Structures are given as structure tokens and as C-alpha cells.
Amino acid sequence: MGMMLTMRNDPLNDVAMSEPEEASKMREFSLEEVKSSKRKILVIYKNDVFDITSFVNAHPGGKDKIMLAKGSFVEPYWSYYPQHTNNKYVVDSVLKPMKIGTLKESDRDSAPPAPNPYVSDPVRSHSLRIITPTPCNAETTSEGLENWLTDSDDFYVRNHGPVPLASEKDSWSINLFSSPLKVSEIKSLAKSGKLSEISVTATMQCGGNRRGYYRKKANGTQWGHGAISNARWKGVRVRDLMEHLDVKEEGKWLNALSEDGTLVSIPRHKVEDVNGDVILAYEMNGEDIPRDHGYPVRLVVPGYVGVRNVKWVKKVWFGEEVSSMWQTGLAYKILPTDVDSKKVEKVDLSKYKGMMEMPVTSVIRKAVVGKDGVLRCEGFAWSGGGRGIHRVDISVDGGSSWHCVDLKEGKDQPPHKAWAWTFWEAEVDVKDVNVEEVVVKAVDVAGNSQPSEGKDIWNVRGLGNNSWHYKRIDREDDWDNSRFG
């Protein structure tokens, strides 16, 4: 009795191919065959041919972006979107299973240059610390963190690709629960009193903030502590829009799709809660939202990780399941500390939830010893989920003893609706002590505190680093206000 073989069809010629022989008999394609394929969407990477037909609609960056490479090489486009080539998981776990053959020798290494999609990006402030220029990832410096409301020019930037070129704000249309509404119409409903226009002061923080402080390197943008900022957002509650539109859609998750293809899902209960303050925002700090931050309209989900506050909103709907690969995939999941880049491929990601509310954290912005021997410190503390800051402590002896600081701006927020950070200040007499650094930790109203060391919470994606924050102490004579960190 012969060996039973599993059969599959060749994507272009419907030629049967047995699985055991597949690796050795993969088809060779000419470049013209790849370009002219009608039934399948084919792309080339490192001279291998891939059938991505079943994947295009699930592409985290949107169908339009991935279709730019249809029938051609992906490398020219990936050079502008380095989250692909810098992420081994994308190539090994997503792309490789779709391989169907190789490119003929005569057509190899002939990839044409792609147009630069970043030429129309906005000019960024010199006050930002640029970590990656394309796509732009830039953090707020110590100087920018001085203000309780972060200036829009100083607000950290986290982009996954080029900034969309928006049409005029009033003509921008959003598909809201299958009803098209222009931004101008939403604003008119608010001005007429049919919808309540509200302002929400909320801190946003990238899930990878302080990733660069882990002693063991983690995958992703190597942020310092400046991927966090605070702003006053104006718009209308999504729950009020639902009531106005008489939304009958069912589903446990609200899905929001950006013009740049980013898709996020947030729990329905967060949206429907009158105290959840989930809004479609069209103003930031009293002005139109800048392009880098979502012009003309973004979702603001107070207390949640930054990525859920999706920018450039084009479509909103409900579904029974999480629709976003940004949440079902590895990108925003905190895995166990023993799972490194070599083990991650064997992990069942469905067992782990994507980041939503952020953990309590605190940062020292400034620490200076004056000529009088007094250490003067200032910084901020924040906790996700609206949990207010109960206490902040600093130590000048590595945590052996602690000094309680004075809470300042933000301390009077409702304790379970404290969407914004809390500033703090402290003075400690150190004239008789030789101190080189100071460390801070915070406690929120739920009793959550920060872990002492990053190694206890390290994860392969470097998310949620809320370990104690250390800062070298400056002397009054040599302190430089512009220095970061």
C-alpha cells in the first residue's frame, strides 16, 4: 500500500502538488507571471514568491498599503515601514507560511525603487527627541514635561506609518455604525445641543514607554520615559452618538479603523459607561488636532494604552470578537518573562490578552542639589483605568528609606476618574549625605505599586515597564535644563 499524500493546487495552473514533495518542487515564477496573476495576489520577498490573497484584508496596515506591492517586490516598501524587517515574527510566522515558490534566476534582484510615502509628513518640533524618523516616533523631553498640559508641539509622536493627508476637516466623513457622518455634522449636532460637547483632560502613554530602560533588550522602539503626554481633548461621547443614531448593532467590542489602516478594539462596556468618557475628539488643547495626533478626528479612550486612542478615524462598528491583529498578535501582549525571541514562536498567543489599562508609574523629571544642601525633585505619576495617585515616595539610599512627596497639579481629580497625570515635588536635606541618585515609586488609589526592578516584569515586547525610576542627581552649578533623562 503506497503512502497517502495530501494534495493541494498550484495557485496559477491548478497543478496538484504533494505536501512531502512541496519543498523540493516549489514552482519557479517569472516576474511577468507574478505581475499578471489574476486570481491570486502575489508578492516577492528575497526572491521568493508568496501568495498573500487570504491575508490582505487582515493586514494591520490596511489593504490599500499592502496592495501597493501586488505583483512586485515588497522590499522597497518595507524600507519605509521598518516594523516589518525589524520584526522577525512578521517574516517567520506571518509571511513564510504563504510561500509558494521562487523567482526565476533571470528576474532576481530587480526590485525598482518605491516612492517615498513620508515626503508629506508634517515638520516636527526641535523640542522632540526623534527616535525613528520614518515612521516618526518621537518622545517628549524633560523640558516638554514641565507643563501639566503638554504643548501640542511637545506631545510625543507614535506613528506606524506615514501621516495621512487629510481632506478639509469639515468634509472628513466617518462611517459610524453604518451611518456616514461628516466632522462638520458632528460639530453642528454638538453646537445645537443635540449632542453634548465635552472636554476630557487625559494622559496618553505608549505601551512601550521606558522600553529602553530594560537591562535586557526587548523588541520594539527603544523609548526613554518621554512616550507620555497630557492634553485637553474636546469632542462628543461615542455613547451619545450611539443614542443619536439609534444604534442596534450587537457585539462585545467596539472596533475603530484609522485612515492609516490601524485597527483597534475596545470593550463595549468602556464605551457605554457614562463615566468612561470615550470620545471622538476634534480639538486638542483648544485648537484643531495637529496632523501627527489625528487631524481631523481621533478616538480618545482615557486610561487605556496609547494605541487604543486611534488617530484619523474612518470607521467605527461593533463586533463579537476582537478584530484587530494589533491585539490578537504579539505586538501589544505582555508574555511571561521566560519567553524570549527564540521561544515566542511556540507560544499560543490566544491565551494572553492585549494591553488595555496601563499600570501605575512615576518618573523623576528633575533632581538638583542646591548650594544649601537641599535636594529638590519634581516629576509626575499616573495610573491607567482612571485610578488616582494616592502617594508618591522618593529615596536617596536605594530604597532603604523613603520620603513622601507633595502632590501638586492633578491631585484633586476624582479618585476613580483621574484620567490625567499628577505632578509632584519634594525637598530632602542631604547636606550630610553623599548621594548620587534618587529613585521614585508611586501607589494608586487601588493600592497598586511599582515593582522595584525591571527584570521582574521584562517581556519580549518590552511593554509596561513601570519599575522604580532612577535618576542621577545634578548639582546646582552644573544642571542643564535641556538634558533628557
Side-chain angles (χ1 to χ4, degrees):
M1 187 174 185
M3 181 176 67
M4 184 176 292
L5 299 177
T6 304
M7 308 296 285
R8 75 168 181 85
N9 290 331
D10 179 273
L12 294 184
N13 295 335
D14 294 333
V15 176
M17 186 182 293
S18 62
E19 295 288 355
E21 296 178 327
E22 190 170 337
S24 60
K25 292 189 176 181
M26 277 226 173
R27 258 205 64 175
E28 270 202 332
F29 293 81
S30 68
L31 183 57
E32 183 57 37
E33 284 179 302
V34 174
K35 288 180 178 179
S36 61
S37 173
K38 295 288 192 285
R39 293 186 299 109
K40 301 291 183 178
I41 300 169
L42 306 183
V43 297
I44 305 161
Y45 175 64
K46 290 187 175 180
N47 297 318
D48 288 331
V49 178
F50 302 85
D51 177 2
I52 63 170
T53 308
S54 62
F55 177 72
V56 290
N57 288 321
H59 181 234
K63 180 178 179 179
D64 292 344
K65 295 290 190 301
I66 198 171
M67 288 297 286
L68 293 172
K70 178 180 182 292
S72 187
F73 298 83
V74 300
E75 283 94 336
Y77 300 95
W78 280 13
S79 67
Y80 294 122
Y81 299 88
Q83 58 264 49
H84 298 85
T85 49
N86 293 344
N87 190 342
K88 190 172 183 290
Y89 173 81
V90 170
V91 176
D92 291 347
S93 299
V94 179
L95 189 61
K96 279 188 177 179
M98 296 185 280
K99 180 179 175 179
I100 58 171
T102 58
L103 196 63
K104 285 186 176 179
E105 187 78 33
S106 58
D107 288 329
R108 293 182 182 181
D109 302 318
S110 55
N116 184 351
Y118 293 98
V119 293
S120 298
D121 265 19
V123 177
R124 277 92 192 190
S125 169
H126 292 298
S127 61
L128 291 170
R129 176 178 177 250
I130 305 294
I131 299 178
T132 60
T134 56
C136 182
N137 289 292
E139 60 182 304
T140 308
T141 62
S142 288
E143 189 174 31
L145 294 172
E146 284 184 340
N147 302 314
W148 191 70
L149 279 182
T150 313
D151 291 343
S152 298
D153 286 344
D154 292 331
F155 203 97
Y156 85 95
V157 178
R158 173 68 173 109
N159 291 335
H160 296 100
V163 176
L165 277 171
S167 58
E168 287 297 317
K169 62 180 179 181
D170 291 338
S171 63
W172 182 276
S173 182
I174 309 170
N175 184 328
L176 285 169
F177 311 105
S178 300
S179 298
L181 270 184
K182 294 180 180 178
V183 172
S184 58
E185 293 174 309
I186 295 174
K187 294 173 78 171
S188 295
L189 289 168
K191 299 299 182 186
S192 67
K194 293 180 180 179
L195 289 174
S196 297
E197 188 176 58
I198 69 166
S199 292
V200 177
T201 302
T203 295
M204 289 185 190
Q205 178 178 235
C206 178
N209 196 29
R210 297 180 63 199
R211 178 184 285 127
Y213 292 174
Y214 280 121
R215 289 176 180 169
K216 180 179 178 181
K217 189 174 181 179
N219 297 333
T221 304
Q222 297 301 299
W223 296 105
H225 60 254
I228 184 171
S229 301
N230 188 49
R232 182 169 289 123
W233 311 92
K234 181 184 283 188
V236 297
R237 289 189 180 94
V238 175
R239 69 185 303 274
D240 291 345
L241 282 165
M242 291 168 56
E243 183 176 340
H244 175 78
L245 296 171
D246 192 25
V247 173
K248 303 295 186 185
E249 288 183 20
E250 297 183 355
K252 300 175 182 177
W253 295 90
L254 179 104
N255 302 300
L257 179 66
S258 167
E259 176 73 8
D260 78 340
T262 304
L263 172 63
V264 303
S265 302
I266 61 172
R268 185 174 190 139
H269 66 78
K270 170 68 173 174
V271 180
E272 294 184 337
D273 185 352
V274 68
N275 292 312
D277 289 341
V278 177
I279 67 171
L280 279 177
Y282 38 74
E283 285 188 15
M284 176 183 180
N285 293 336
E287 299 178 341
D288 288 343
I289 296 176
R291 285 181 60 210
D292 257 333
H293 303 298
Y295 177 88
V297 63
R298 77 176 296 167
L299 192 68
V300 174
V301 189
Y304 275 41
V305 62
V307 70
R308 307 289 171 245
N309 299 262
V310 70
K311 300 184 275 191
W312 315 296
V313 178
K314 290 299 290 184
K315 184 179 180 181
V316 179
W317 73 100
F318 281 111
E320 276 301 318
E321 304 293 337
V322 172
S323 299
S324 170
M325 278 191 66
W326 296 94
Q327 282 159 260
T328 58
L330 176 63
Y332 288 92
K333 291 192 174 183
I334 299 178
L335 301 186
T337 56
D338 65 326
V339 177
D340 57 20
S341 57
K342 295 179 180 179
K343 297 179 181 178
V344 71
E345 294 176 15
K346 299 178 181 179
V347 173
D348 181 359
L349 294 176
S350 66
K351 294 181 178 179
Y352 301 92
K353 307 296 184 185
M355 288 188 81
M356 293 291 178
E357 295 180 355
M358 297 292 286
V360 63
T361 192
S362 59
V363 162
I364 305 163
R365 194 193 70 80
K366 174 182 176 182
V368 184
V369 173
K371 294 178 180 178
D372 58 358
V374 175
L375 169 66
R376 294 174 176 86
C377 291
E378 60 185 52
F380 61 84
W382 181 69
S383 188
R387 294 178 290 275
I389 297 301
H390 173 63
R391 193 180 79 245
V392 176
D393 302 318
I394 64 169
S395 174
V396 294
D397 56 14
S400 295
S401 62
W402 296 90
H403 304 267
C404 191
V405 309
D406 294 325
L407 301 182
K408 298 294 184 178
E409 295 164 287
K411 68 177 182 179
D412 295 325
Q413 298 177 86
H416 297 287
K417 199 177 173 182
W419 305 129
W421 56 18
T422 297
F423 274 21
W424 57 264
E425 295 178 1
E427 291 189 358
V428 180
D429 188 341
V430 295
K431 66 170 66 74
D432 298 323
V433 183
N434 182 24
V435 294
E436 297 295 331
E437 65 180 9
V438 59
V439 59
V440 66
K441 64 180 177 70
V443 180
D444 68 21
V445 294
N448 300 308
S449 188
Q450 298 174 240
S452 59
E453 296 187 59
K455 67 180 180 63
D456 297 325
I457 53 172
W458 182 91
N459 55 92
V460 70
R461 286 287 293 124
L463 301 167
N465 185 1
N466 69 328
S467 57
W468 295 355
H469 181 231
Y470 290 80
K471 180 170 176 57
R472 184 177 65 82
I473 293 173
D474 295 294
R475 305 292 164 178
E476 193 172 64
D477 292 335
D478 64 6
W479 185 68
D480 176 5
N481 185 59
S482 67
R483 181 165 60 253
F484 181 89

